[in-house]
Amino acid sequence: MKKYLVTIAALLFVLGSLTAVYATNGDNNGKAKGKDKKFELGVDVLLDEQKDLIEGKRVGLITNPTGVDKDLNSVVDVLHNDPDVNLTKLYGPEHGVRGSAQAGEYVDYYIDETTGLPVYSLYGETRKPTPEMLENIDVLVFDIQDVGTRFYTYIYTMAYAMEAAQENDIPFVVLDRPNPQGGTKVQGPVLDPAYSSFVGKYPIPLRHGMTVGELAKLFNNEYDIGADLTVVGMNGWKRNMNYDETPLEFVMPSPNMPTTDTATVYPGAALIEGTNASEGRGTTKPFELLGAPYVNSTEFAAALNELHLPGVDFRAASFTPAFSKHRGTLSHGVQIHVTHKQSFHPVKTGLHIVKTLHDMYPEDFAFRAENSAGVSFFDYLVGNGWIREAIEEGKSVEYMQEQWKDELNEFKNIREGYLLY
């Protein structure tokens, strides 16, 4: 009898140990995401360790729905309800503080229904806060999730706000967040300053491999903003982490950036925006579904798969966008399936997609029209004028990569001085 009792006790011990291991180290259903005390976002570190930066001060906050702590509480509500903080004004980038506006839609001044605070738009007519907008502000705080791509506009909202803060002698605080693409891959052409715009203000590559805090330091020092800048860093984030390797939930930064899969393909797939093909806006898979009414999906998918690009497969697909390009019209093309994130090269892949569309459908494919200065929107996205010319002249993507290699290496050297992790 004693022998059986010992055996039963041993089994119960093993089962208890397995349950504990599962609860702490199992899949995401076995742990509370966001509860990892070893992992903290900039906003968490601010409130836990560096609250003196905002305590007792009149705070202006630049944010959107991604401005949440690791438990998904809105930074707007957290600061508004904190008796030690006087949150006085909100500022919204493209898509607004609550994320209700579509791409390119102008959001005017309004009163936030939840807090009663005034909200000023930093997208549209006023991209840089005016002195009037900054009245009664002691410190300006930026907390927005970036996606790691040069032409995502939030980082330039940050840069313009830093300029305004410097001009009005207001300290500027950036609350850091992970780069959803990780922080090790630096790829694509560096922006030619002659093609500077709100989708590319500074000479950085398409895939920069930096966090918003690191970019803020680089912008501030390399491009002579000179703001009184403080970056509140994260605890526990490592450069080689994909977003799904953190304990965080992904809050979509904009209506057409619903998942981390979208962010992964975005640096290359979004180049389609500079053409007459659909980048998948108006579908449930923006930037993963690409095509146009004039495309033969089977032939197009086969041509792309024959390139044997690393870490990606292309599936023939048809779709009807609910809005944006080819709205209500059946379009044919591909869905991008990333099979291996580490080897996937989104910029190279995106250029191959554009070049293949151009070569297969020369009578139908077109880059978006040039403006009065002879610049196409594609040029602003890619950051120069020569890549469009190279595609039209039949040059290979490998040729293009060779042309931008030296400037990319120069940027990588500069970048090293601003890495925080």
Side-chain angles (χ1 to χ4, degrees):
M1 186 65 164
K2 184 178 180 181
K3 174 182 173 183
Y4 291 123
L5 288 174
V6 171
T7 302
I8 291 170
L11 286 171
L12 288 173
F13 176 79
V14 171
L15 287 171
S17 299
L18 287 172
T19 302
V21 169
Y22 176 78
T24 56
N25 298 316
D27 62 17
N28 291 336
N29 293 322
K31 68 177 180 179
K33 290 199 77 173
K35 305 292 184 180
D36 186 352
K37 294 300 181 183
K38 296 178 182 178
F39 193 102
E40 291 187 310
L41 292 163
V43 61
D44 301 305
V45 175
L46 173 78
L47 296 173
D48 291 346
E49 304 174 22
Q50 299 185 42
K51 199 174 180 181
D52 59 295
L53 292 169
I54 59 171
E55 195 167 8
K57 299 177 181 179
R58 296 169 297 181
V59 177
L61 176 63
I62 305 167
T63 193
N64 70 356
T66 66
V68 294
D69 64 18
K70 62 182 179 181
D71 297 320
L72 295 178
N73 299 306
S74 168
V75 65
V76 174
D77 300 330
V78 169
L79 295 186
H80 179 67
N81 295 327
D82 192 319
D84 298 325
V85 179
N86 183 15
L87 183 63
T88 58
K89 294 181 180 179
L90 303 175
Y91 306 86
E94 184 178 4
H95 310 293
V97 166
R98 301 292 179 183
S100 56
Q102 270 293 345
E105 183 180 340
Y106 176 60
V107 180
D108 204 352
Y109 169 90
Y110 63 97
I111 299 297
D112 180 57
E113 292 183 1
T114 303
T115 62
L117 294 173
V119 181
Y120 297 89
S121 173
L122 298 182
Y123 184 79
E125 295 177 5
T126 305
R127 292 176 177 172
K128 182 177 179 179
T130 64
E132 293 73 24
M133 292 165 64
L134 295 175
E135 287 180 351
N136 301 316
I137 294 294
D138 298 317
V139 60
L140 201 53
V141 177
F142 180 93
D143 189 13
I144 295 178
Q145 176 66 60
D146 183 40
V147 300
T149 302
R150 184 181 66 219
F151 42 64
Y152 208 56
T153 62
Y154 297 157
I155 57 177
Y156 307 117
T157 294
M158 178 179 71
Y160 280 122
M162 288 168 61
E163 290 179 2
Q166 188 278 328
E167 292 164 3
N168 291 274
D169 297 318
I170 297 173
F172 196 87
V173 176
V174 175
L175 307 182
D176 214 1
R177 292 184 171 274
N179 183 328
Q181 300 183 42
T184 60
K185 304 292 185 182
V186 184
Q187 298 166 337
V190 172
L191 176 87
D192 178 344
Y195 292 82
S196 177
S197 73
F198 198 49
V199 291
K201 183 172 171 61
Y202 299 120
I204 63 175
L206 275 177
R207 193 184 193 191
H208 51 70
M210 302 178 76
T211 68
V212 285
E214 292 170 340
L215 283 172
K217 289 170 66 68
L218 180 125
F219 292 170
N220 202 42
N221 293 334
E222 294 295 326
Y223 309 122
D224 302 322
I225 296 177
D228 179 3
L229 172 67
T230 300
V231 175
V232 180
M234 298 173 282
N235 287 332
W237 187 74
K238 297 180 175 58
R239 303 210 71 81
N240 61 353
M241 277 185 171
N242 288 319
Y243 201 93
D244 55 11
E245 294 175 308
T246 74
L248 303 172
E249 297 289 349
F250 184 75
V251 178
M252 62 182 188
S254 55
N256 292 292
M257 189 63 59
T259 69
T260 55
D261 288 341
T262 321
T264 298
V265 302
Y266 185 67
L271 295 175
I272 298 294
E273 289 194 75
T275 76
N276 66 348
S278 169
E279 66 277 5
R281 291 185 189 272
T283 75
T284 57
K285 291 288 185 180
F287 305 107
E288 294 179 70
L289 284 170
L290 311 169
Y294 56 78
V295 171
N296 181 306
S297 57
T298 302
E299 293 177 356
F300 186 50
L304 291 173
N305 283 322
E306 285 173 6
L307 296 171
H308 301 293
L309 298 174
V312 63
D313 287 329
F314 301 92
R315 180 183 63 84
S318 296
F319 56 94
T320 302
F323 57 86
S324 196
K325 279 186 280 185
H326 307 303
R327 173 184 176 183
T329 301
L330 181 63
S331 296
H332 311 284
V334 296
Q335 181 175 350
I336 301 172
H337 292 271
V338 177
T339 57
H340 189 261
K341 284 187 178 181
Q342 290 306 312
S343 60
F344 176 61
H345 193 313
V347 179
K348 178 180 176 180
T349 300
L351 287 173
H352 271 292
I353 291 170
V354 173
K355 176 176 168 54
T356 302
L357 277 171
H358 172 274
D359 294 350
M360 290 184 70
Y361 305 101
E363 301 300 320
D364 299 295
F365 172 86
F367 290 102
R368 282 171 63 173
E370 297 177 352
N371 61 19
S372 58
V375 180
S376 166
F377 186 60
F378 179 86
D379 303 336
Y380 286 124
L381 289 173
V382 80
N384 58 65
W386 65 265
I387 285 183
R388 176 164 60 103
E389 292 179 0
I391 291 172
E392 292 173 334
E393 293 170 0
K395 300 288 180 60
S396 69
V397 173
E398 289 69 29
Y399 164 85
M400 300 174 208
Q401 289 181 280
E402 188 63 28
Q403 299 307 304
W404 75 55
K405 182 176 66 174
D406 289 345
E407 287 187 344
L408 180 62
N409 286 334
E410 289 177 16
F411 173 80
K412 287 179 179 179
N413 290 333
I414 294 170
R415 168 183 173 273
E416 286 295 322
Y418 297 97
L419 300 184
L420 299 173
Y421 311 93

